[in-house]
Amino acid sequence: MGIDEHNQFEALIQGLIADDYSSCTDFLSISTLAGLRSQMESLILLGQMNPAGIGNKSDMHEDRSIRRDKVNWIEELSTNEFEQIYIKKVWRFIEYLNKTCFTSITSLESHYSHYEQGSFYKRHLDQFQNEKGRKFSIVLYLNQDWKEEDGGLLSLYPSNRAEKNISPVEGRFVFFRSDEMEHEVHPSSTRNRNSIAGWLKN
Ligand code: OGA
Ligand code: MN
């Protein structure tokens, strides 16, 4: 881990402690982002994005009044070089978190999320009621040339402070607690919206 990466991880953690969330725009290089974007575009073209469910295990069901994104899970042993770079980078972040914050994160799960124009995900928490494994949520955006007027904001609703609205511009990475931070994905009326959502679990 280089000094730059060390500083980046430290800033993400300090931001979370201070503001209940943090974000940066240099988590991955431009070329890795381009590789992930093209991988996601092929999954969409091949029809491999599937309607997301809500809940988990036996409680899992589709509910279009709550969420309308389509997802494809990223395999930890993926052979796609860009997915490997993403996974390794997140694992270095996890190791840093575990070492400095005693978080004992032991696994990572991630999926591509595709929100077609007009699709949304209503206000929710990422931690399930019947399974508390998800500790931290991460989101990485893959939307080239996203403009303010395209909408598609991620709203964060910290419990004791004003809501925070984040535009899903390419390369932006967002970090928050899965059990505490309620959040919502607003629709875009102009274009599709692509991201990778991940969860750090124990
Ligand atoms: C999720 C989620 C946020 C986003 O998948 O649980 O809240 O901005 N995604 O894509
Ligand atoms: Mn969420």
Side-chain angles (χ1 to χ4, degrees):
M1 182 173 68
I3 182 75
D4 289 348
E5 192 166 85
H6 176 282
N7 289 341
Q8 181 183 66
F9 292 165
E10 195 56 39
L12 286 167
I13 293 167
Q14 292 307 325
L16 180 88
I17 293 167
D19 303 325
D20 297 331
Y21 87 99
S22 58
S23 89
C24 68
T25 49
D26 56 354
F27 194 75
L28 293 172
S29 70
I30 304 280
S31 58
T32 303
L33 292 166
L36 290 169
R37 187 178 357 104
S38 77
Q39 169 68 356
M40 182 160 187
E41 279 159 10
S42 5
L43 293 170
I44 296 165
L45 285 174
L46 292 168
Q48 289 177 16
M49 303 297 299
N50 308 305
I54 59 168
N56 70 333
K57 299 181 177 162
S58 58
D59 198 25
M60 166 84 133
H61 59 286
E62 202 182 320
D63 186 337
R64 287 183 44 86
S65 70
I66 295 178
R67 77 184 286 192
R68 296 195 179 177
D69 57 324
K70 291 187 178 156
V71 306
N72 184 293
W73 290 92
I74 297 178
E75 302 292 331
E76 190 98 24
L77 297 175
S78 161
T79 54
N80 178 284
E81 64 175 302
F82 304 104
E83 292 179 353
Q84 273 308 322
I85 294 171
Y86 162 82
I87 290 166
K88 286 190 183 133
K89 171 88 191 197
V90 176
W91 270 107
R92 289 199 297 280
F93 182 47
I94 292 173
E95 281 156 18
Y96 187 85
L97 255 181
N98 283 345
K99 199 168 62 184
T100 59
C101 305
F102 307 102
T103 43
S104 59
I105 300 301
T106 53
S107 66
L108 166 68
E109 59 185 18
S110 312
H111 64 48
Y112 291 100
S113 319
H114 178 60
Y115 291 81
E116 276 165 29
Q117 196 173 321
S119 293
F120 52 79
Y121 192 165
K122 298 283 193 210
R123 186 168 171 158
H124 66 281
L125 275 178
D126 283 346
Q127 193 179 81
F128 302 113
Q129 248 132 56
N130 61 358
E131 193 226 300
K132 309 279 184 198
R134 289 179 171 184
K135 301 299 176 194
F136 298 98
S137 301
I138 55 179
V139 191
L140 175 74
Y141 295 108
L142 301 175
N143 305 299
Q144 221 176 5
D145 301 319
W146 192 270
K147 310 256 179 344
E148 200 78 30
E149 57 270 26
D150 291 320
L153 294 173
L154 170 68
S155 289
L156 299 178
Y157 303 103
S159 46
N160 292 314
R161 57 182 105 225
E163 78 177 73
K164 180 79 198 168
N165 295 309
I166 297 171
S167 186
V169 298
E170 180 156 70
R172 185 166 279 162
F173 177 83
V174 186
F175 175 53
F176 53 88
R177 275 183 202 282
S178 307
D179 59 340
E180 283 180 1
M181 183 64 82
E182 294 191 357
H183 57 283
E184 167 170 17
V185 177
H186 297 279
S188 168
S189 58
T190 51
R191 53 181 286 192
N192 298 340
R193 178 191 189 279
N194 293 332
S195 55
I196 296 178
W199 295 279
L200 282 45
K201 308 186 8 169
N202 70 12

